[in-house]
């Protein structure tokens, strides 16, 4: 390997970690917003059976 090959592969690895971080953050935001939505609907009584 030459120095150019090593320098060329470093940005690719960094961008892979950046993509994984963005995907992980998006999943975290999605799951948290779903949990908040369920909590709000439960506290509003939407899951209780009407009597």
């Amino acid at each position: 390997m030459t120095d150019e090959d090593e320098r060329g592969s470093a940005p690719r690895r960094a961008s892979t970690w950046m993509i994984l971080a963005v995907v992980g953050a998006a999943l975290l935001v999605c799951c948290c917003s779903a949990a908040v939505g369920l909590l709000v609907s439960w506290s509003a009584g939407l899951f209780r059976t009407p009597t």
Side-chain angles (χ1 to χ4, degrees):
M1 275 192 160
T2 64
D3 288 339
E4 287 181 24
D5 291 338
E6 290 177 10
R7 275 184 272 153
S9 64
R12 191 177 308 139
R13 271 191 228 128
S15 65
T16 301
W17 284 112
M18 182 64 69
I19 290 170
L20 288 174
V22 168
V23 169
L27 286 173
L28 183 69
V29 167
C30 182
C31 291
C32 286
S33 64
V36 168
L38 286 172
L39 182 65
V40 167
S41 59
W42 178 76
S43 66
L46 296 179
F47 290 127
R48 295 188 186 101
T49 57
T51 55

